[in-house]
Amino acid sequence: MLKTVNLKDLNLDPFTAVGEDWMLIAAGDEKSANAMTASWGGLGVMWNKNVAYIVIRPQRYTKEFVDAAESFSLSFLGADYKDALAYMGKKSGRDGDKIKACGLTLSYKNGVPYFAESDAVLFCKKLYAQAMTPDCFTDNSVIKTCYPKSDFHTLYIGEITEAMKR
């Protein structure tokens, strides 16, 4: 069972949790929600607040939910869920109920969706959103490597308002 903890007691290594194990970004409400797998993003301090930053490409269905919501969640699941995370990253919620299809359970806290199977969850209040543009890159090799279709991410920064862990 997940319980609320002090963020400093979470002991979450972002390099492993995000970059290797991946996370699920979820937004929406109890009527309609969506989520996607992400392996880019991070945690830190900005504007004197503990924050998470995420990036979402324009074609992702989850972007519509993050754009419309005040808050989003980041769910970190164990290694047993790697197949489900891969599925959530490849399939679009526009095409069907991918959450049900991969056997995950969507839960809600204060109206924000997250996954019951998570080892840890961060709830984030959106503070900032900005589309990335080619003219802002100082290393153009990133554009060639990561944006061959020119589908630049939108960067979101969210204040971490609550942390839960199993």
Side-chain angles (χ1 to χ4, degrees):
M1 180 164 187
L2 290 163
K3 64 180 183 174
T4 299
V5 296
N6 184 301
L7 183 59
K8 292 179 181 179
D9 295 332
L10 198 55
N11 297 323
L12 188 71
D13 169 16
F15 300 102
T16 301
V18 177
E20 294 176 21
D21 296 342
W22 310 333
M23 63 184 168
L24 289 172
I25 300 169
D29 57 33
E30 294 187 32
K31 293 178 186 172
S32 182
N34 199 56
M36 62 175 267
T37 302
S39 61
W40 290 358
L43 307 172
V45 177
M46 187 74 174
W47 306 307
N48 301 313
K49 299 175 185 289
N50 294 321
V51 299
Y53 72 89
I54 59 171
V55 292
I56 303 177
R57 291 188 193 267
Q59 65 267 37
R60 297 302 299 260
Y61 186 46
T62 302
K63 184 179 186 310
E64 296 174 25
F65 290 84
V66 172
D67 285 343
E70 288 184 20
S71 298
F72 59 88
S73 71
L74 304 177
S75 293
F76 301 90
L77 288 74
D80 292 346
Y81 294 96
K82 196 70 166 191
D83 288 343
L85 286 163
Y87 185 86
M88 292 288 291
K90 292 176 186 167
K91 298 294 180 181
S92 175
R94 285 187 187 100
D95 302 329
D97 190 344
K98 67 180 185 176
I99 295 168
K100 184 178 179 181
C102 67
L104 294 176
T105 309
L106 203 56
S107 295
Y108 295 86
K109 180 146 187 159
N110 300 321
V112 179
Y114 72 96
F115 290 90
E117 294 83 1
S118 301
D119 288 335
V121 180
L122 299 176
F123 293 93
C124 303
K125 177 187 169 197
K126 278 191 321 188
L127 299 174
Y128 182 83
Q130 182 174 349
M132 294 180 167
T133 59
D135 59 309
C136 289
F137 283 85
T138 57
D139 180 348
N140 287 331
S141 70
V142 175
I143 296 172
K144 292 175 188 167
T145 304
C146 299
Y147 298 101
K149 298 178 183 176
S150 296
D151 55 345
F152 296 94
H153 289 94
T154 296
L155 167 68
Y156 300 89
I157 300 174
E159 177 182 8
I160 301 170
T161 57
E162 185 173 350
M164 295 192 322
K165 78 175 186 178
R166 187 158 308 284

